[in-house]
Amino acid sequence: QVQLVELGGGLVQAGGSLRLSCAASGGTFSRLAMAWFRQAPGKERDLVAAIGRSSAYVYYGDPVKARFTISRDNDKKSVYLQMNSLKPEDTAVYYCAARSVIVSHLPTSAADYSNWGQGTLVSVSP
């Protein structure tokens, strides 16, 4: 069983930066593909960024490309999301997600991930 705990959310003004972290326990972290999703009130849960078992495989949703960076540290069993140039539309609850099952398609759907953190709120003021 994999447990995920997100940290680093908070309040920030537009143009500011935040760094989210997600610490994993249980399972073998190096076997997990990781991702960050976000969900605003009344909206669907959308993929922000994903990173494979190898950090060479990364994906970013269009709204955050060139602004956010996902990374992982297998020694620390953690995944991070560096968020720069934040915009009010980035306001959402951000969730860390993990999967261990290898899929043949691009894992951009929440249904592709089996383990979820509790979420951390990121609020960006104008």
Side-chain angles (χ1 to χ4, degrees):
Q1 187 176 9
V2 177
Q3 295 83 43
L4 305 173
V5 179
E6 301 101 333
L7 295 173
L11 303 174
V12 65
Q13 285 190 303
S17 298
L18 285 174
R19 188 173 189 249
L20 306 183
S21 63
C22 173
S25 61
T28 302
F29 184 75
S30 61
R31 295 180 179 177
L32 301 175
M34 305 296 296
W36 288 96
F37 286 77
R38 68 185 183 185
Q39 187 168 24
K43 303 294 184 180
E44 295 182 352
R45 186 172 297 189
D46 293 326
L47 179 66
V48 177
I51 188 166
R53 296 166 182 83
S54 168
S55 296
Y57 298 93
V58 296
Y59 173 88
Y60 296 98
D62 287 339
V64 307
K65 287 181 178 178
R67 297 189 298 120
F68 291 9
T69 302
I70 188 172
S71 62
R72 67 187 294 160
D73 187 332
N74 287 352
D75 290 335
K76 296 181 179 179
K77 298 182 179 180
S78 296
V79 63
Y80 309 95
L81 185 69
Q82 178 66 45
M83 304 183 293
N84 298 325
S85 301
L86 283 162
K87 303 175 180 179
E89 50 263 45
D90 295 319
T91 296
V93 176
Y94 284 70
Y95 296 91
C96 179
R99 63 174 177 87
S100 60
V101 177
I102 297 174
V103 296
S104 59
H105 64 278
L106 189 65
T108 57
S109 171
D112 293 317
Y113 297 84
S114 57
N115 300 96
W116 295 84
Q118 82 286 355
T120 185
L121 177 64
V122 173
S123 296
V124 184
S125 62

